[in-house]
Amino acid sequence: MELGPPVYDGVVHAAYANDRDDVAALVLPGATAVLDIGCSVGMLGQALRRRGHTVTGVESNVDFAEQARARLDRVITGDVEELARAGAALDGPYDCVVMADVLEHLRDPWTVTRWSSGLLRDGGSMVISVPNVRHLRLVRQVLLGARWPYDEVGIFDRTHLRWFGRQNLDGLLEGTGLALTELRRTYALRANPAAHSNRWARLLGDFGTLQFVFRAERP
């Protein structure tokens, strides 16, 4: 099984390369210096730069990092867990640290959130997105179908090492000195935004929530 991000004809799958307006919307306008951890090819960071932010990216994939350099102010190539263990300062402090669909791919996301919170200046914030495992598809395919799906992208992306429900979000912030201040949900039953069934997702609460996107700040 290939465990790298899906790439076709040299182009990374759109799930790993998009503007992520839902994430960018939670970055405070006054957050001048932003650290985008797991920046991929830099599409989100590029969108943030258009809004007036200065963006430094961190990316472990060498090819992705090279593409991101054309879009961001600076890109650091490295494994975020190794950087966290080393206590790397990454030329901080920053006004905001962004981790969009990153933590579920890590062995120890909790150490990474604690380390990255130390890169924030006073009044700084963190914006995180993670997929919600307590989705209707878990019921259909795992509980009823007795099969764990391994997909290229989405909730059951085959490269995911960790899984989160709503009650896990506060745990990601333990030891950071930050508290969850704004939470938004992406409602969808199917990955295709045009799918007719998606209109019912909001009525299902957690079971219709594809992803949590939240901002954390110091109380």
Side-chain angles (χ1 to χ4, degrees), residues 140-154:
R140 289 201 321 262
Q141 297 209 6
V142 180
L143 300 185
L144 300 179
R147 173 184 174 274
W148 186 274
Y150 289 97
D151 300 336
E152 287 192 336
V153 296

Side-chain angles (χ1 to χ4, degrees), residues 135-136 183-190 196-211:
H135 189 267
L136 184 61
L183 171 64
R184 299 185 184 183
R185 296 167 180 251
T186 301
Y187 290 101
L189 296 179
R190 296 185 179 276
H196 181 79
S197 60
N198 285 340
R199 68 176 61 189
W200 307 109
R202 188 177 295 270
L203 301 177
L204 297 175
D206 274 4
F207 293 111
T209 298
L210 189 70
Q211 192 167 60

Side-chain angles (χ1 to χ4, degrees), residues 71-128:
R71 299 183 171 105
L72 309 185
D73 295 282
R74 182 187 177 210
V75 175
I76 299 166
T77 304
D79 182 299
V80 64
E81 294 195 89
E82 292 180 2
L83 293 170
R85 285 193 293 270
L90 303 187
D91 295 329
Y94 293 91
D95 299 302
C96 182
V97 172
V98 174
M99 288 183 282
D101 295 352
V102 170
L103 297 177
E104 62 271 21
H105 296 272
L106 306 181
R107 293 181 297 276
D108 186 0
W110 304 277
T111 291
V112 170
T113 55
R114 288 194 298 271
W115 159 73
S116 57
S117 70
L119 304 178
L120 293 171
R121 59 172 45 97
D122 290 343
S125 61
M126 191 178 296
V127 175
I128 295 172

